[in-house]
Structures are given as C-alpha cells and as structure tokens.
Amino acid sequence: MATIKLKFRPSSVKDREGTLFYQIIHLREVKQIYTSFHLHNYEWDGENSSVITTSTPDIQRTIYLSSVSRSIKDGFTKLTTIISQFDGKGVPYTAQDVVTAYNAPITVVGVVSYTRKLIADMKKIGKRSTANRFEVCLSSFLRYTGSNEVAWRDLTSTFMLGYEEFLMKRGLCRNSTSCYMRNLRSVVNRAIEEDYEVPRNPFKHVYMGVDKTVKRAVPLDTVCKIRDLDLTGHPSLDFARNVFMFAFYTRGMSFVDIAFLKKSDVSGDIITYSRRKTHQQLRVRIEPATRRTIDRFGKNESQYLLPILSDSGGDVELQYVNAYNRVNRNIKKIGKMLGLETKLTLYVARHAWASIAHTNNVPLSTISKAMGHDSENTTLIYLQSLDTSSVDKANSDIIRMMDGKNKKG
C-alpha cells in the first residue's frame, strides 16, 4: 500500500513563503504533488506535519491558514481514497498512477464541489484575494449544510432564505449577511455562465444591499493629539500613527493608494497617482509636514514610497491585506490610549480631513476634487454621512427653547 506524507519546503529566499506538498511513496518510487498553498516557516509544525493556525493576530491571515488546513486535510482524504480504490482492484499500480488520478479533472456535482473547483482556478491564475473570499463564503455555507453537497436544483429562493436566517441567528448584522450572499451570488453567476442549470432568482428574497452606517470624523484638536502622542518604545504604534498622519496630510488618501504609491509617483514636491477605486488621477502637493512624516518612515530599498509593501517576493495583494489589518489594529490602540469615544480607524483620517475642510468653509467643489469623488453630489452625501453632531445640536437648541432656557426673539 502506498504511503502519504505532507511536507513543507521552505523558500531559499529570506522572508519568502515556502510550499506545501504531498509525498507519495509506493514500491520505493517517490513522487510529489505540490499544492498552491504557501506558508511562512513559523506557520508550519514540522513535528506534527500540520499548519499552525494561531501564529498571527491577523484575522485575515488566520482565516487563510484555517482554510489551508482544511484544504490539505481534504487533499489527504482524497489521496487516501484513491489509494484504497487502487488496492481494492488488486492490480499493480505505481506512485505516478496515484498522482495522475489525483490531478484528474474534478467532477463537478453540485454547489460545493463547483465552488471548490472555482477556488482552485482562482489560485492558479493568481486571484488569491478572490479565492480567499470564496473560501470564507464556502466555509460559512458548509456550516449551514452540515458539510454536505447541495444539488443545483435545490438552490432555491427558499433555501437561500433559510441560509440567511441561519446567518442572522449566529449574530451577523445585515451588512455581513449581505456580504456572504453577494459572494455566493458571484459563484452562482459564474456557474450560470458555464451553463449549469440553476433555479431562477435564488437570491430574490434575501437582503443584498449595504446599510448606511454613520461615519465618524474627529475634530482638528484630536488629530493634533494623535500627531503629538508620545509613542517612544512603541515602534509599531508609531508606524501606524505615521500612516494615519500621512493620509490626513494628503487630503484623506486611502490606505490602498498609500500602500501602492511608488517613488516614481513623486516629482519634486508633487505626488501624482491614480485612485485604485475610481482610476481618477490626482495630484497632491507634499507639504513640509508631509515631508517630515515621510522621513520618519526611514529609507527603504523597494520601489514603493513607504515601507508598507516589499519587493522581496510573495503575494503583494496578500502583503497589502496583512499590512492593512496590522496598521488598522494599531490605530485602534492609539484611539484607546487617547480615550477617544470614536473608534479610530484608517478611514477616520479621510473622514476627518473632509469634515474639517467643510467646517472651515472650504467649497464643496474643492473638497470633491481633493478627495477624488466622481461628482459633488457624491461628496455631499459623504459629508452628510460623516457626523450627526450638527443635527444633534439643533435638536438640543430646540429642546432648550421649549424649556425656556434659551428663547430667541
């Protein structure tokens, strides 16, 4: 009988992720099946041949590692089944026969097997972020189905209502359930494009929108407190603070645009970049405060302006996700250190710049242009969603007038 071992091959390049592979041994013949999964050395338990899923506080990375752990177990089960089938036939076979059977095209039966195939396809073409989204979606879907396959004909609007109810009972808000539904709809739409027969409008009765949430901006004095906070001995927090201030000094530049800024985007005192969200080209003047913030990051040898992403290899999109979560987590810690009621996030820098500009009578057209919005109407909606303090103040004034404490006229 053939034996199966899960192996990890570290990268020869420092800090680059290594590769997981299965080793098949039969009749002294050794073959390898390489997976598409990549891990850092500290994420691999060599003694137990398993993935360490608690090696990082990064939630997205933990989700990825958990997904890898599940996937390699599925692969191990598949290989065990293949070998058992060969042994059951009672005819000679080789390790290469096992590899060939494992790599044979997946026979798609239903929603679950199709989604797994889609995830594998996304990874093969480098769409790791899309694959990760589908993996998270599938993991949730399997909790609802009890890890069972679902035939396409059973994916009805009633089935989806049951799934939505399941998510809500788990404590998810409407925006979260909607996110799962939209990702699953993306999978279903791809299946429809490939001529799978799917019931009509399975998502007809579930919520697919995005509820508006009140965005909170902080006033200028709070931004100054963030700037002036003594973070000596806390380099990770200081790094996050510098990212926050850079975002504020560059008119609320979003983190994704900050991370992918290249040194070649700077000419003299001007940064020219295209927003990744709208592809609109923007030009930002580097003020003295901005220059001092850039200098605080120190020198880096990569093509990027700030040391957020690296040229040393690995998935740049994954680097971005990890950096975003890490910086955002540390920004929240800074907010707690300052005792802020507003939950501090990277986007607060963007919200703050727009709110402060609006409060200081900067024309709407100027704010719209500065933030890279497609229209002034978008900016108006954005400003209206930032804070309800003016409405709350008006309400307080009216109540005081009713109490006779501040009558006018």
Side-chain angles (χ1 to χ4, degrees):
M1 181 176 180
T3 60
I4 314 163
K5 292 183 179 179
L6 183 65
K7 298 279 190 175
F8 174 68
R9 176 164 292 165
S11 172
S12 59
V13 179
K14 185 180 179 182
D15 296 329
R16 182 177 291 184
E17 298 166 313
T19 305
L20 284 173
F21 65 95
Y22 299 103
Q23 179 176 275
I24 315 300
I25 305 175
H26 184 54
L27 301 176
R28 298 184 179 180
E29 181 186 18
V30 181
K31 293 291 180 180
Q32 291 83 32
I33 300 175
Y34 284 87
T35 73
S36 59
F37 305 121
H38 302 280
L39 306 175
H40 294 289
N41 292 2
Y42 57 81
E43 295 171 335
W44 174 248
D45 181 352
E47 184 176 346
N48 297 304
S49 296
S50 62
V51 179
I52 302 173
T53 57
T54 56
S55 61
T56 172
D58 186 333
I59 295 176
Q60 291 297 324
R61 186 64 178 176
T62 300
I63 291 173
Y64 169 72
L65 293 173
S66 297
S67 174
V68 170
S69 183
R70 289 192 300 270
S71 296
I72 60 177
K73 287 178 182 177
D74 289 344
F76 205 96
T77 300
K78 181 179 177 180
L79 282 168
T80 302
T81 302
I82 290 171
I83 291 171
S84 295
Q85 289 173 344
F86 276 127
D87 289 334
K89 293 177 182 178
V91 297
Y93 66 94
T94 66
Q96 181 58 52
D97 291 332
V98 176
V99 173
T100 301
Y102 182 86
N103 290 326
I106 300 173
T107 301
V108 176
V109 177
V111 180
V112 174
S113 53
Y114 176 81
T115 305
R116 283 177 174 152
K117 179 180 180 299
L118 183 59
I119 290 168
D121 290 342
M122 292 296 103
K123 289 178 179 177
K124 286 179 182 178
I125 62 175
K127 298 288 186 179
R128 181 174 288 186
S129 60
T130 302
N132 286 346
R133 285 193 295 104
F134 289 162
E135 283 181 328
V136 172
C137 177
L138 178 60
S139 178
S140 169
F141 189 72
L142 286 173
R143 281 195 290 271
Y144 174 59
T145 67
S147 298
N148 295 319
E149 180 62 277
V150 176
W152 289 106
R153 66 176 179 274
D154 294 331
L155 200 71
T156 62
S157 58
T158 302
F159 181 94
M160 296 311 302
L161 272 172
Y163 179 38
E164 183 181 52
E165 180 68 17
F166 167 81
L167 293 174
M168 293 175 67
K169 285 182 177 179
R170 290 177 64 88
L172 275 68
C173 66
R174 290 218 311 168
N175 279 348
S176 295
T177 64
S178 175
C179 182
Y180 281 112
M181 293 298 171
R182 294 197 306 274
N183 281 323
L184 186 56
R185 181 179 61 181
S186 180
V187 171
V188 172
N189 286 343
R190 290 170 186 266
I192 292 172
E193 290 176 358
E194 297 179 31
D195 296 326
Y196 284 86
E197 293 186 9
V198 180
R200 187 176 179 181
N201 297 329
F203 300 93
K204 181 178 181 179
H205 300 299
V206 297
Y207 182 67
M208 304 286 284
V210 179
D211 286 342
K212 287 185 177 180
T213 56
V214 176
K215 299 181 178 69
R216 293 291 179 182
V218 294
L220 186 59
D221 64 336
T222 299
V223 176
C224 291
K225 288 179 182 178
I226 295 170
R227 179 197 62 190
D228 298 334
L229 181 63
D230 183 5
L231 293 174
T232 304
H234 301 280
S236 59
L237 298 185
D238 186 49
F239 183 92
R241 185 257 304 279
N242 290 336
V243 172
F244 183 94
M245 294 308 304
F246 181 88
F248 182 81
Y249 290 145
T250 53
R251 309 188 317 232
M253 187 184 295
S254 65
F255 182 74
V256 65
D257 293 325
I258 292 172
F260 285 93
L261 276 180
K262 295 181 179 179
K263 293 172 181 175
S264 57
D265 294 329
V266 179
S267 178
D269 287 333
I270 299 295
I271 297 174
T272 304
Y273 72 101
S274 294
R275 287 201 67 200
R276 288 174 71 91
K277 184 176 181 179
T278 63
H279 304 292
Q280 183 178 355
Q281 189 175 78
L282 298 177
R283 297 174 76 251
V284 181
R285 187 170 65 195
I286 300 176
E287 302 292 340
T290 316
R291 179 67 68 185
R292 288 193 296 272
T293 302
I294 295 173
D295 292 341
R296 289 192 187 101
F297 286 102
K299 294 182 179 180
N300 75 87
E301 302 301 324
S302 75
Q303 64 178 316
Y304 300 104
L305 180 62
L306 304 183
I308 297 172
L309 305 178
S310 170
D311 290 334
S312 62
D315 189 324
V316 175
E317 293 294 336
L318 184 58
Q319 286 185 48
Y320 161 74
V321 171
N322 289 339
Y324 175 81
N325 290 325
R326 182 172 58 254
V327 172
N328 225 19
R329 184 170 60 249
N330 288 326
I331 285 292
K332 290 177 183 177
K333 290 180 181 178
I334 291 172
K336 291 179 180 179
M337 289 174 70
L338 290 172
L340 303 182
E341 293 183 4
T342 299
K343 184 172 72 173
L344 206 59
T345 66
L346 287 167
Y347 262 103
V348 170
R350 183 171 176 82
H351 301 161
W353 190 91
S355 178
I356 293 168
H358 183 60
T359 302
N360 285 274
N361 300 314
V362 175
L364 182 65
S365 59
T366 302
I367 298 175
S368 180
K369 184 177 180 180
M371 303 196 73
H373 285 159
D374 293 328
S375 68
E376 290 184 20
N377 186 52
T378 301
T379 308
L380 184 60
I381 295 172
Y382 185 87
L383 290 170
Q384 289 173 343
S385 70
L386 280 178
D387 198 67
T388 60
S389 57
S390 60
V391 179
D392 292 337
K393 182 178 182 303
N395 188 44
S396 296
D397 289 344
I398 291 171
I399 293 174
R400 282 199 298 270
M401 289 169 64
M402 293 175 63
D403 291 341
K405 294 180 179 179
N406 191 25
K407 291 183 179 180
K408 298 180 181 180

